[in-house]
Amino acid sequence: MLSIPASRPNAYSGSPLDRAANRREDAAFIEAALADAETLFVPVWRSRSLMKGVPEGAPEAVLLTGAAAEAVRMTGGPWAFLGFWEGRPVFAVDCSQADDPLPLLPEGMGAFADLRTVAGLLPPGEASILAHARGLMHWRTKHRFCGVCGAGCEPRSAGHAMACTNCGTQHFPRTDPAVIMLVVREGRCLLGHSTRFPNNVMYSTLAGFVEPGETLEEAVRREVMEEAGIEVGAVHYHSSQPWPFPSSIMLGFHAEGLSDTITIDPEELRDARWFTVEEMRNPQAHGFALPRGDSIARRLIEDWLAEQAA
């Protein structure tokens, strides 16, 4: 089985930000940047991002400055310094405490929407910035208390750490590694229909979280065996994708299937099948749908199909 390289960057990757981690402890800089009318703020409301042009199919991120940014910050939610974009400081700010943040903004500023529905349509870099802000703000809103003693925590490092006010333990943003793999065998690929899929005809690659003390390759083999009963041999890395929904990174692989008979785990999958190249190239005609274009699952599939045509 040959390794298949990634044909292009995945959605949410390719951030244009200089994260400037060395400025996070510079209190004077952070204070001045927060007050600067040219500073950009990325608002997050209940895990949704502010965008305009969504109904027209031409979304673009809306970043706030000046009075609009101040109005959102006055909701009292957490914030964090993300870095510099073309020399301008960029902060994420959560405004979820407002029942409706749009009245706080000038008219025509767009609306808050689920980033996943439009990520593939956003201009380069914007999806990455919105995903960065969403993931960090999710961590800030969900980790207000110490996991060691239960006391309240206070933000540190410009929003990139939380310190317990009682025992002093420092807590940092977590990213959970998950493997996602397209298993292939003799010109066919293995796809499953998850019990969690809202689309009742969508089939996608198998995936699962990496467990403690496990290599990525071991996680690929274990997950495929657990979910579909297929033995896996060679495992080849393809690419990775930030997936802050809420806090993962997807590590993509192509894997060699060594057996044919599928035995599904009914708690994870409603169905799993081997699909031919012909079926994969025309899924609608064969009664199923592929995963969304912004997903690494779709990229694994597309790059494998391209390899079959080579």
Side-chain angles (χ1 to χ4, degrees):
M1 176 184 170
L2 297 176
S3 177
I4 303 173
S7 59
R8 59 188 188 279
N10 293 314
Y12 312 116
S13 65
S15 175
L17 293 181
D18 170 5
R19 297 199 176 209
N22 61 312
R23 306 305 298 269
R24 294 173 187 169
E25 304 296 338
D26 187 341
F29 161 75
I30 295 297
E31 183 179 1
L34 287 169
D36 190 339
E38 293 301 309
T39 292
L40 300 171
F41 289 83
V42 187
V44 179
W45 179 70
R46 301 177 185 178
S47 296
R48 299 184 178 187
S49 303
L50 184 61
M51 294 176 276
K52 60 183 179 180
V54 172
E56 296 79 18
E60 56 182 295
V62 176
L63 277 61
L64 305 177
T65 59
E70 183 64 22
V72 167
R73 288 187 59 210
M74 290 298 290
T75 61
W79 55 267
F81 173 60
L82 301 184
F84 292 99
W85 190 8
E86 298 179 349
R88 300 170 72 178
V90 181
F91 288 80
V93 57
D94 191 280
C95 54
S96 298
Q97 295 185 46
D99 289 334
D100 182 2
L102 290 181
L104 303 174
L105 304 176
E107 190 173 350
M109 295 291 282
F112 285 89
D114 185 349
L115 176 59
R116 287 170 290 186
T117 63
V118 297
L121 302 174
L122 284 165
E126 290 189 7
S128 175
I129 293 174
L130 296 185
H132 184 178
R134 186 193 191 281
L136 193 53
M137 290 300 95
H138 178 272
W139 174 75
R140 285 290 311 276
T141 58
K142 300 299 183 182
H143 292 79
R144 296 177 296 153
F145 299 95
C146 179
V148 176
C149 71
C153 291
E154 293 181 342
R156 297 284 189 273
S157 191
H160 287 263
M162 297 291 280
C164 178
T165 56
N166 180 52
C167 69
T169 299
Q170 293 236 54
H171 303 276
F172 299 93
R174 60 178 291 173
T175 297
D176 301 318
V179 291
I180 183 165
M181 46 276 174
L182 182 66
V183 181
V184 300
R185 175 171 169 78
E186 298 175 348
R188 300 169 299 159
C189 69
L190 177 68
L191 299 182
H193 178 66
S194 171
T195 57
R196 299 180 295 274
F197 287 170
N199 184 333
N200 61 10
V201 296
M202 188 178 85
Y203 281 73
S204 186
T205 53
L206 305 187
F209 288 104
V210 180
E211 294 187 350
E214 187 173 51
T215 69
L216 302 179
E217 294 83 357
E218 289 167 348
V220 168
R221 296 187 180 102
R222 174 184 54 77
E223 285 288 343
V224 175
M225 177 58 70
E226 288 178 355
E227 293 190 5
I230 297 296
E231 185 180 355
V232 166
V235 175
H236 294 284
Y237 176 74
H238 175 269
S239 62
S240 63
Q241 179 181 40
W243 195 254
F245 306 106
S247 56
S248 299
I249 183 165
M250 307 301 294
L251 305 162
F253 298 88
H254 289 104
E256 178 190 19
L258 298 180
S259 57
D260 289 295
T261 303
I262 297 171
T263 304
I264 66 170
D265 176 357
E267 293 188 2
E268 292 288 338
L269 298 177
R270 289 195 178 95
D271 188 29
R273 304 180 200 170
W274 291 104
F275 291 86
T276 66
V277 171
E278 179 186 354
E279 290 171 325
M280 295 292 288
R281 286 182 175 150
N282 195 2
Q284 187 174 5
H286 292 90
F288 71 101
L290 294 177
R292 276 198 319 243
D294 70 319
S295 66
I296 189 173
R298 185 64 171 268
R299 190 60 45 75
L300 289 168
I301 291 168
E302 290 176 347
D303 285 353
W304 176 74
L305 286 174
E307 186 75 13
Q308 304 314 297

